[in-house]
Amino acid sequence: MNIHEYQAKELFDRFQVPSPSGRVASTPEEAAAAAKEFAGAKLVIKAQVHAGGRGKGHFKNGFQGGVHLIESPEQAAEFAGKMLNETLVTVQTGEAGKLVSKVMIAEAVDITHEYYLAILMDRATCRPVIVVSTEGGMSIEDVAHNTPDKIVRQFIHPLLGLQSYEVRKLTAALGLTGDIAKQFAKLLGNLYKLFISCDCAMLEINPLVTTPDGRVLALDAKFGFDDNALYRHPDIVAMRDKSEEDPREVAASEFELNYIGLDGNIACLVNGAGLAMATMDIIKHFGGDPANFLDVGGGASKEQVTAAFKIILGDPNVKGILINIFGGIMDCNVIAEGVIAAAKETGLPIPLVVRLEGNNVEMGKATLAASGLNIVSADDMADGAKKIVAAVA
Ligand code: GDP
Ligand code: MN
């Protein structure tokens, strides 16, 4: 799960990570009112979407840039009018872009230098890693590609936590000294606490800036949380903005289905993540293209199977469905009844191939055969994949 920059500021405030104050607005009037609250200050207006690269992005209406320095409430309203309910395309959104339904008005600061700071969960070492660079404010992918030696990583022992010698090493790597170094050390300690306490998967500040009046501030924020730990954080779950997510994935998560939308035209409904991966592979092997990854889990109910069917059929690219079930914990006949109920409820406008194996498989196949629905039965995975690929060709 991700959150918006204006929401990230709440967490920064809670953990004492200094960042310029900001207010969110959904209309030009609200933007003007927000700007008035910072009377006298220089301001910045920023489109709120779950994607970076906003500054260099463009709107489909031709307006350039999702981040602008502004000077008055009137200008806040004017720029908000050009951004709100418009689609912003950045290097991270893809061609489709993202609809902007909120902007943030924040106090603008003068910048001495832009740095990069991130904390990520590193899978290879099973440790948090802190990544810093003196080359902030630009795409970190470009820095990694052009000047890899300008990126410094510090792996952190998960039980020992962030040590002061590690902080000193990172401070030195950024060339920070004196009071700025002290502020950075405090900020980094607090940011690490935030990362661990909130079960973040990644936390990126690009840029972290120093100012002419001698402050260190987080000027941008990108947060990702570990979905499996969200049950511990109802306050963070409350920040979820479903309009930023793939609607198919939102529907799937409501029924506790593991669904990931893909670009192909053969929908898969499978029990077990490993079998789901293998099913996608074998569809590819026989020349097809999977439309999704969908794992209904070990003990799927009829309601879940029906929900899965509806999500699959809601994707206009889907031209055929392959159901691949291994009845281990699961009774094949329960799945067969779920499939029939779902097919009757939703209609079955496209070819459906079903491969069942395992517990009570004979009964399951008999139930499908007796249903009168136009279901093609497959003997094994390869047979099922060949049949669905042929059916959508
Ligand atoms: P991103 O493009 O989505 O990563 O959005 P950022 O929040 O990082 O803003 C993009 C760029 O705008 C930053 O790298 C800064 O150079 C500039 N910017 C953002 N806020 C301010 C500000 O308060 N003052 C100044 N001078 N520049 C800013
Ligand atoms: Mn940024």
Side-chain angles (χ1 to χ4, degrees):
M1 193 195 112
N2 302 314
I3 57 173
H4 288 292
E5 183 186 12
Y6 77 89
Q7 298 169 318
K9 276 190 189 294
E10 281 179 36
L11 295 177
F12 280 166
D13 288 348
R14 205 186 300 166
F15 286 84
Q16 296 178 29
V17 173
S19 76
S21 5
R23 298 264 184 287
V24 68
S26 314
T27 63
E29 296 72 37
E30 283 177 24
K36 278 191 194 126
E37 289 188 40
F38 300 107
K42 281 189 278 181
L43 301 170
V44 58
I45 181 167
K46 301 168 106 179
Q48 298 295 291
V49 289
H50 287 182
R54 294 164 300 171
K56 294 200 172 66
H58 66 273
F59 287 83
K60 286 199 170 164
N61 64 3
F63 186 64
Q64 286 298 314
V67 177
H68 288 274
L69 293 171
I70 50 171
E71 287 179 345
S72 63
E74 294 71 39
Q75 229 184 351
E78 180 198 335
F79 279 71
K82 288 178 177 152
M83 295 183 180
L84 286 165
N85 304 315
E86 299 291 343
T87 303
L88 176 62
V89 180
T90 82
V91 288
Q92 291 185 11
T93 62
E95 281 291 298
K98 283 206 174 258
L99 187 69
V100 176
S101 45
K102 291 188 175 75
V103 294
M104 183 178 72
I105 309 290
E107 239 173 313
V109 296
D110 292 330
I111 299 174
T112 305
H113 190 89
E114 298 185 282
Y115 301 88
Y116 177 90
L117 169 61
I119 310 180
L120 315 161
M121 209 45 105
D122 181 61
R123 284 176 182 265
T125 56
C126 301
R127 288 173 180 217
V129 57
I130 299 178
V131 183
V132 299
S133 176
T134 51
E135 311 304 297
M138 56 189 107
S139 146
I140 195 67
E141 290 80 10
D142 291 346
V143 180
H145 183 259
N146 301 329
T147 48
D149 54 307
K150 298 245 163 132
I151 294 179
V152 177
R153 292 179 184 80
Q154 177 67 51
F155 294 90
I156 309 298
H157 191 288
L159 298 180
L160 298 178
L162 180 62
Q163 301 292 303
S164 38
Y165 77 89
E166 294 166 334
V167 175
R168 283 198 294 277
K169 200 176 127 187
L170 291 165
T171 309
L174 294 179
L176 305 177
T177 55
D179 187 56
I180 292 283
K182 275 190 203 153
Q183 289 183 49
F184 174 75
K186 186 154 178 255
L187 183 152
L188 187 56
N190 290 345
L191 195 69
Y192 188 79
K193 262 186 226 141
L194 194 175
F195 180 84
I196 298 294
S197 313
C198 295
D199 288 304
C200 296
M202 79 102 178
L203 202 171
E204 185 184 63
I205 300 176
N206 188 21
L208 177 84
V209 301
T210 49
T211 66
D213 59 357
R215 291 182 294 159
V216 181
L217 294 168
L219 216 59
D220 188 13
K222 198 171 160 191
F223 273 72
F225 298 93
D226 179 349
D227 291 348
N228 292 318
L230 284 176
Y231 73 96
R232 298 204 282 216
H233 305 286
D235 53 331
I236 293 169
V237 174
M239 295 180 178
R240 184 168 171 195
D241 180 353
K242 289 181 183 170
S243 71
E244 288 282 327
E245 299 173 25
D246 184 328
R248 300 172 300 181
E249 291 178 19
V250 172
S253 74
E254 273 157 24
F255 286 90
E256 287 174 33
L257 302 163
N258 299 308
Y259 176 96
I260 297 166
L262 300 168
D263 297 331
N265 60 3
I266 298 176
C268 317
L269 193 161
V270 188
N271 67 334
L275 190 60
M277 298 291 278
T279 304
M280 290 169 15
D281 280 349
I282 203 160
I283 288 172
K284 276 268 185 198
H285 180 75
F286 287 109
D289 257 318
N292 65 277
F293 167 96
L294 173 56
D295 166 20
V296 296
S301 65
K302 190 182 122 186
E303 288 71 30
Q304 282 177 303
V305 174
T306 309
F309 241 77
K310 284 185 181 161
I311 292 164
I312 284 172
L313 291 174
D315 178 348
N317 293 329
V318 169
K319 298 286 177 278
I321 305 173
L322 173 59
I323 295 184
N324 187 11
I325 299 291
F326 181 78
I329 309 168
M330 187 129 226
D331 181 330
C332 285
N333 195 46
V334 171
I335 281 284
E337 283 172 349
V339 167
I340 291 165
K344 285 193 172 146
E345 194 176 318
T346 57
L348 193 55
I350 51 176
L352 169 63
V353 175
V354 179
R355 178 258 179 168
L356 293 175
E357 193 54 80
N359 181 14
N360 210 12
V361 61
E362 293 312 326
M363 180 89 157
K365 283 188 175 173
T367 303
L368 286 180
S371 72
L373 286 165
N374 186 14
I375 299 172
V376 179
S377 179
D379 299 326
D380 55 37
M381 264 177 79
D383 184 46
K386 278 188 220 165
K387 281 178 173 160
I388 194 64
V389 171
V392 302

